[in-house]
């Protein structure tokens, strides 16, 4: 029995020792599990911390990406604006140097704006002046076209004037020669339109060998007066005037020249009945009194011995 007891006791001790070892191992495992739990909790805290950091970093990256995109867009726009003004300049200068130069330029611009106005005012003034210039240019072009037309019209009218002037001169020459021929004279009229001169040559003798005289002073008073009447009648033929007056045209004429001259004047007056002819002469016009279309006014002879002039109506008139 003792032997069996000892065996059982030894088995019990061995079992208890094994159980104690198992308990010690369990305690070790529990302690390890506790440490693992703490480590897991700590790791979870770290995980949450780093996840939050990761989220913050991602938000920062997204914000920086948006800012980068915005700045990149602005750089591309500013580059396009700058290249529209001038080509891109390759330089080795630093950004600070360029910024300093830019500040100096901005100071100059500010000073010019203070003296001459802001950029907006200058641009507005430029646009106004440009519009005025364009309008003025259009007006100038229109005026130039008008000037060209007027020049062409003037050139055409000058040509027509020269033709008309030659026609009038020829008419005066023919009429002058015709009037002179009524007295047996012959004459020539020469027009110098450039020098604005009129030269008259008359031959009063019937002899054909006699040369024409260019000096009217070489003619007698009656011949010169008759020639003057012929010249005036020739000019009247080309002048439109409602009144035609001659004063003492026959003072130096002889009876023959006076008769022929009066006949020519009356014939011209009758041919142009829409004009009024007035002839003043101290000569006797009794031969013409009684004509239906002639009205003669005769004044009394002045009193040579009177001291003052009498302006009362003293003349008599003959109306026929």
């Amino acid at each position: 029995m003792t032997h069996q007891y000892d065996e059982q006791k030894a088995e019990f001790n061995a079992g208890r020792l094994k159980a104690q070892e198992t308990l010690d191992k369990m305690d070790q495992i529990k302690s390890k599990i506790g440490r693992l739990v703490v480590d897991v909790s700590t790791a979870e805290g770290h995980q949450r911390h780093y996840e939050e950091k990761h989220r913050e970093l991602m938000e920062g990256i997204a914000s920086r990406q948006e800012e980068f995109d915005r700045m990149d867009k602005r750089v591309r726009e500013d580059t396009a604006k700058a290249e529209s003004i001038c080509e891109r300049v390759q330089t080795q200068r630093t950004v600070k140097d360029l910024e300093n130069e830019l500040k100096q330029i901005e100071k100059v611009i500010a000073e010019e704006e203070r003296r001459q106005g802001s950029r907006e005012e200058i641009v507005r003034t430029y646009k106004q002046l440009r519009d005025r210039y364009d309008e003025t240019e259009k007006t100038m072009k229109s005026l130039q076209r008008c000037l060209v037309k007027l020049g062409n019209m003037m050139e055409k009218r000058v040509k027509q004037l020269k033709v008309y002037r030659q026609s009038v001169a020829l008419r005066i020459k023919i009429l002058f020669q015709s009037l002179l021929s009524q007295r047996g004279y012959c004459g020539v009229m020469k027009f110098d339109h450039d020098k604005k001169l009129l030269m008259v040559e008359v031959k009063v003798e019937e002899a054909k060998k006699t040369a024409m005289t260019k000096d009217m002073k070489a003619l007698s008073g009656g011949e010169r007066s008759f020639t003057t009447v012929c010249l005036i009648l020739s000019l009247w033929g080309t002048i439109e005037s409602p009144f035609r007056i001659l004063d003492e045209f026959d003072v130096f004429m002889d009876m023959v020249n006076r008769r022929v001259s009066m006949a020519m004047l009356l014939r011209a007056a009758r041919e142009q009945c829409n004009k009024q002819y007035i002839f003043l002469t101290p000569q006797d016009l009794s031969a013409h009194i009684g004509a239906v279309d002639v009205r003669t006014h005769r004044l009394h002879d002045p009193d040579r011995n009177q001291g003052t002039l009498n302006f009362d109506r003293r003349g008599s008139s003959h109306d026929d």
Side-chain angles (χ1 to χ4, degrees):
M1 288 289 294
T2 303
H3 179 68
Q4 189 178 3
Y5 173 75
D6 291 335
E7 289 179 354
Q8 291 181 350
K9 186 177 179 178
E11 291 177 359
F12 175 76
N13 288 332
R16 188 176 61 183
L17 181 60
K18 189 175 181 180
Q20 187 63 39
E21 290 177 353
T22 302
L23 288 174
D24 292 338
K25 288 181 179 181
M26 290 180 63
D27 290 338
Q28 292 177 0
I29 291 171
K30 288 181 179 179
S31 177
K32 188 175 182 180
I33 290 172
R35 290 195 302 273
L36 290 174
V37 170
V38 172
D39 292 341
V40 169
S41 177
T42 301
E44 289 178 350
H46 289 169
Q47 181 181 3
R48 289 192 298 273
H49 172 73
Y50 288 115
E51 287 179 351
E52 182 68 20
K53 287 291 185 180
H54 179 266
R55 185 183 63 80
E56 292 177 356
L57 289 174
M58 292 303 294
E59 290 178 354
I61 290 172
S63 177
R64 296 296 186 275
Q65 183 65 39
E66 291 179 358
E67 184 177 2
F68 172 79
D69 294 338
R70 186 170 60 255
M71 295 301 295
D72 182 65
K73 181 180 179 182
R74 181 178 177 182
V75 168
R76 285 187 280 105
E77 291 177 353
D78 292 343
T79 301
K81 291 179 180 179
E83 289 179 348
S84 65
I85 298 174
C86 65
E87 296 181 356
R88 189 180 186 90
V89 179
Q90 300 295 334
T91 180
Q92 300 295 329
R93 300 171 62 183
T94 63
V95 176
K96 185 176 182 180
D97 292 339
L98 296 175
E99 289 178 349
N100 291 333
E101 184 178 357
L102 181 61
K103 290 180 180 179
Q104 294 296 327
I105 295 174
E106 289 176 349
K107 288 181 180 179
V108 174
I109 293 174
E111 180 65 21
E112 292 298 325
E113 287 182 349
R114 184 185 65 80
R115 293 172 53 189
Q116 302 183 11
S118 63
R119 179 179 180 275
E120 290 76 13
E121 293 177 354
I122 295 174
V123 171
R124 183 170 59 255
T125 304
Y126 168 76
K127 289 182 178 179
Q128 293 175 353
L129 294 176
R130 182 68 185 182
D131 293 339
R132 290 175 58 186
Y133 171 80
D134 293 339
E135 186 67 24
T136 304
E137 187 178 15
K138 291 180 181 178
T139 304
M140 287 295 296
K141 290 181 179 179
S142 178
L143 291 176
Q144 287 176 352
R145 290 192 296 269
C146 290
L147 286 176
V148 172
K149 292 182 180 179
L150 290 175
N152 295 333
M153 293 172 60
M154 181 62 69
E155 184 178 357
K156 183 178 180 181
R157 291 188 178 186
V158 168
K159 292 180 179 178
Q160 293 177 349
L161 175 61
K162 291 181 178 180
V163 173
Y164 177 73
R165 186 174 61 186
Q166 292 176 355
S167 176
V168 170
L170 180 60
R171 181 180 177 185
I172 293 175
K173 291 178 182 179
I174 294 174
L175 186 57
F176 181 67
Q177 293 174 357
S178 175
L179 293 173
L180 286 177
S181 65
Q182 297 184 26
R183 186 65 179 86
Y185 299 169
C186 62
V188 177
M189 298 179 67
K190 296 181 180 179
F191 290 88
D192 190 341
H193 299 294
D194 295 332
K195 297 181 180 180
K196 297 181 180 180
L197 295 177
L198 172 60
M199 293 171 287
V200 179
E201 299 179 5
V202 179
K203 182 176 69 172
V204 298
E205 288 83 357
E206 296 182 359
K208 297 182 178 179
K209 295 181 179 180
T210 305
M212 292 189 180
T213 177
K214 298 181 180 179
D215 187 4
M216 298 299 294
K217 294 180 181 180
L219 301 175
S220 65
E223 293 170 346
R224 188 163 57 248
S225 298
F226 178 77
T227 302
T228 303
V229 171
C230 293
L231 175 61
I232 292 174
L233 286 174
S234 301
L235 296 175
W236 277 354
T238 59
I239 298 174
E240 294 296 331
S241 174
F243 299 98
R244 296 177 177 180
I245 303 173
L246 283 180
D247 183 17
E248 297 188 354
F249 62 93
D250 57 349
V251 173
F252 301 102
M253 289 185 183
D254 54 25
M255 292 302 296
V256 177
N257 286 326
R258 184 181 301 114
R259 178 177 54 79
V260 176
S261 298
M262 284 302 301
M264 289 191 303
L265 291 172
L266 291 175
R267 183 166 57 253
R270 291 188 177 98
E271 290 176 353
Q272 297 181 351
C273 57
N274 59 336
K275 297 178 175 59
Q276 185 174 1
Y277 285 75
I278 301 174
F279 306 125
L280 303 177
T281 176
Q283 305 297 333
D284 183 19
L285 297 178
S286 58
H288 304 284
I289 297 175
V292 178
D293 54 353
V294 178
R295 178 174 297 179
T296 305
H297 297 270
R298 189 177 187 282
L299 301 179
H300 290 292
D301 295 334
D303 187 1
R304 303 297 181 181
N305 297 322
Q306 65 181 5
T308 60
L309 295 176
N310 186 4
F311 291 100
D312 294 336
R313 185 175 180 181
R314 299 174 56 190
S316 62
S317 63
H318 301 275
D319 299 338
D320 295 310

